[in-house]
């Protein structure tokens, strides 16, 4: 059995009782795409990595624990090791199925995974809704303003890259390339690019891009969604052309990006939604015939949000877990964001 003598995967209940573990499983089951098996595997993985990290830092607590805590940063965890954590109490389940489970937890936005050439490392994503006692930033306030291509491009590109890595199964969704694309968009039409910041240090923690689309590009919204990818791809050719202010033939807005650092999502998303309505109203002054809104669901975390805003699924991709969603501009503007 893998794991250090002090931390045996088959004996995690000695550190955190099954009752407490199931409390966190119940909280996780409220998330989109979660099953009891996935939630159980995540809780066990988080507990094991926390203990392993504590042991490496020589601060291993005494059992039993009274709550779940997360490790600090990246922790080594092979697929064989994960299999012991996930399936130590099961008759089936090997390193291949454990690797698939790790990928699913990445898909769900619960963990990050990377391979440094020698070993696999796992990082637990911030989940303040799960670990409320660990959230030390509850008093942080936020501000929303225009995208600044001089100072915002790199940090926002990093934020966006993490949104695409789960799709590509790698960690090289090139941040530099994304940053330059954002700067190009800002040079053409900056009104639709908005940034959520922490008020104390002005660091970007969220971003959205409303992209006015030329009439000639609208057909792309009815093609397989994978043909609409650009930021996460290596091609230099953007499948969508941006309409410029004053274009009366522009009918469509592409919600090209919507991302908030998971640590701040619950506290800041209502304000960002209100700002998005105000931005769309400003854009109507430049594009008087805006009727349609489209978004491409790339990360499953945002599917529930889009559905709650009235977006409807229009088409799926035959090869990738992507799909288009549609909402009328007029209906979006009538939504009471305070009640969502």
């Amino acid at each position: 059995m893998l794991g250090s003598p002090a931390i045996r995967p088959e004996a995690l209940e000695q550190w955190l009782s099954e009752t407490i573990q199931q409390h966190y499983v119940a909280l996780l089951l409220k998330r989109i795409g979660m099953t009891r098996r996935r939630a159980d595997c995540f809780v066990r993985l988080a507990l094991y990595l926390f203990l392993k990290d504590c042991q490496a830092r020589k601060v291993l607590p005494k059992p039993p624990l009274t709550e779940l805590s997360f490790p600090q940063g990246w922790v080594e965890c092979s697929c064989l090791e994960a299999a012991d954590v996930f399936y130590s109490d099961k008759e089936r389940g090997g390193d291949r199925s454990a690797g698939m489970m790790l990928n699913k937890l990445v898909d769900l936005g619960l963990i990050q995974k990377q391979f440094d050439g020698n070993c696999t490392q796992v990082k637990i994503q911030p989940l303040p809704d799960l670990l409320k006692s660990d959230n030390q930033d509850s008093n942080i306030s936020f501000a929303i303003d225009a995208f600044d291509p001089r100072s915002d491009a790199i940090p926002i590109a990093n934020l966006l890259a993490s949104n695409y890595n789960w799709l590509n199964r790698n960690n090289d969704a090139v941040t530099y390339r994304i940053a330059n694309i954002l700067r190009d968009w800002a040079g053409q039409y900056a009104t639709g690019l908005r940034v959520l910041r922490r008020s104390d240090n002005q660091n970007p923690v969220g971003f959205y891009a409303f992209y006015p689309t030329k009439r000639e590009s609208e057909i792309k919204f009815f093609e397989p969604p994978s043909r609409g990818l650009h930021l996460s791809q290596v091609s230099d050719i953007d499948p969508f052309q941006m309409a410029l202010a004053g274009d009366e033939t522009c009918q469509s807005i592409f919600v090209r990006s919507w991302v908030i650092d998971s640590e701040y999502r619950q506290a800041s998303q209502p304000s960002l939604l209100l700002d998005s309505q105000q931005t769309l109203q400003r854009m109507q002054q430049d594009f008087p015939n805006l009727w349609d809104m489209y978004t491409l669901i790339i990360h499953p975390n945002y599917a529930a949000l889009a559905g709650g805003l009235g977006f409807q699924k229009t088409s799926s991709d035959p090869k990738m877990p992507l799909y288009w969603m549609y909402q009328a501009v007029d209906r979006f503007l009538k939504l009471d964001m305070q009640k969502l």
Side-chain angles (χ1 to χ4, degrees):
M1 192 63 66
L2 294 176
S4 70
I7 309 167
R8 292 178 293 115
E10 73 275 18
L12 289 177
E13 287 72 19
Q14 295 178 13
W15 290 89
L16 191 67
S17 72
E18 180 67 20
T19 299
I20 296 176
Q21 288 187 45
Q22 289 306 308
H23 164 72
Y24 291 103
V25 167
L27 292 176
L28 285 163
L29 287 173
K30 299 176 183 179
R31 300 171 70 93
I32 296 298
M34 188 60 65
T35 65
R36 183 168 293 278
R37 185 65 190 145
R38 294 168 185 170
D40 183 66
C41 285
F42 172 76
V43 171
R44 291 178 63 82
L45 178 67
L47 174 60
Y48 177 74
L49 295 182
F50 169 71
L51 294 172
K52 186 175 181 180
D53 180 50
C54 288
Q55 187 177 52
R57 293 186 291 110
K58 302 186 185 319
V59 291
L60 192 65
K62 293 182 178 180
L65 303 175
T66 59
E67 62 182 7
L68 181 65
S69 298
F70 288 169
Q72 298 178 8
W74 295 94
V75 182
E76 290 185 11
C77 184
S78 68
C79 288
L80 190 58
E81 197 172 353
D84 267 357
V85 173
F86 295 156
Y87 311 120
S88 60
D89 59 341
K90 304 290 188 298
E91 294 182 358
R92 58 181 180 175
D95 56 345
R96 184 174 181 274
S97 58
M100 295 173 64
M101 177 60 77
L102 288 174
N103 285 339
K104 179 54 66 175
L105 297 180
V106 172
D107 293 354
L108 293 168
L110 297 173
I111 69 172
Q112 295 183 51
K113 180 166 72 76
Q114 67 180 13
F115 183 71
D116 65 3
N118 296 309
C119 61
T120 298
Q121 296 181 316
V122 174
K123 181 180 181 181
I124 306 295
Q125 294 278 46
L127 298 170
D129 55 328
L130 191 64
L131 303 183
K132 293 180 180 179
S133 61
D134 287 347
N135 184 9
Q136 300 175 354
D137 297 324
S138 57
N139 295 323
I140 289 177
S141 60
F142 304 93
I144 305 170
D145 59 18
F147 172 79
D148 183 346
R150 297 175 65 91
S151 60
D152 292 334
I154 299 300
I156 290 175
N158 273 308
L159 196 60
L160 291 174
S162 66
N163 218 35
Y164 299 126
N165 286 340
W166 81 270
L167 183 64
N168 295 334
R169 293 281 185 261
N170 60 45
N171 289 291
D172 55 6
V174 186
T175 302
Y176 172 77
R177 178 177 170 276
I178 295 175
N180 282 322
I181 290 173
L182 296 178
R183 284 168 170 156
D184 289 343
W185 289 354
Q188 296 176 74
Y189 184 74
T191 304
L193 308 181
R194 302 286 288 172
V195 179
L196 173 73
R197 308 179 191 281
R198 286 179 51 147
S199 297
D200 56 349
N201 56 24
Q202 298 301 300
N203 288 342
V205 294
F207 171 77
Y208 70 82
F210 282 0
Y211 187 99
T213 306
K214 273 192 174 182
R215 176 72 66 87
E216 302 92 290
S217 298
E218 288 182 354
I219 188 64
K220 299 292 183 181
F221 296 125
F222 300 88
E223 295 179 353
S226 56
R227 295 184 185 177
L229 293 173
H230 182 46
L231 290 179
S232 62
Q233 304 298 297
V234 296
S235 173
D236 291 330
I237 301 175
D238 192 333
F240 291 89
Q241 296 182 29
M242 180 181 285
L244 302 181
D247 185 348
E248 296 187 0
T249 68
C250 174
Q251 300 178 147
S252 301
I253 287 290
F254 183 1
V255 185
R256 204 139 195 201
S257 292
W258 182 282
V259 61
I260 305 175
D261 187 314
S262 58
E263 184 175 356
Y264 308 106
R265 191 173 300 150
Q266 185 173 5
S268 63
Q269 190 154 264
S271 297
L272 204 63
L273 287 169
L274 283 169
D275 184 81
S276 71
Q277 286 182 315
Q278 296 165 2
T279 296
L280 191 52
Q281 289 171 340
R282 288 195 296 271
M283 293 178 70
Q284 284 182 316
Q285 303 302 311
D286 295 324
F287 305 99
N289 293 313
L290 284 180
W291 297 336
D292 305 316
M293 298 181 71
Y294 298 90
T295 189
L296 179 58
I297 298 299
I298 295 175
H299 198 291
N301 275 357
Y302 296 95
L305 172 63
L309 294 172
F311 282 83
Q312 296 178 303
K313 183 176 178 180
T314 56
S315 63
S316 301
D317 196 272
K319 298 180 179 179
M320 302 180 73
L322 308 169
Y323 52 92
W324 288 115
M325 297 188 80
Y326 168 82
Q327 168 68 301
V329 168
D330 290 348
R331 290 185 176 179
F332 182 83
L333 291 175
K334 291 178 181 178
L335 291 173
D336 186 345
M337 297 300 183
Q338 302 281 14
K339 295 183 179 180
L340 293 177

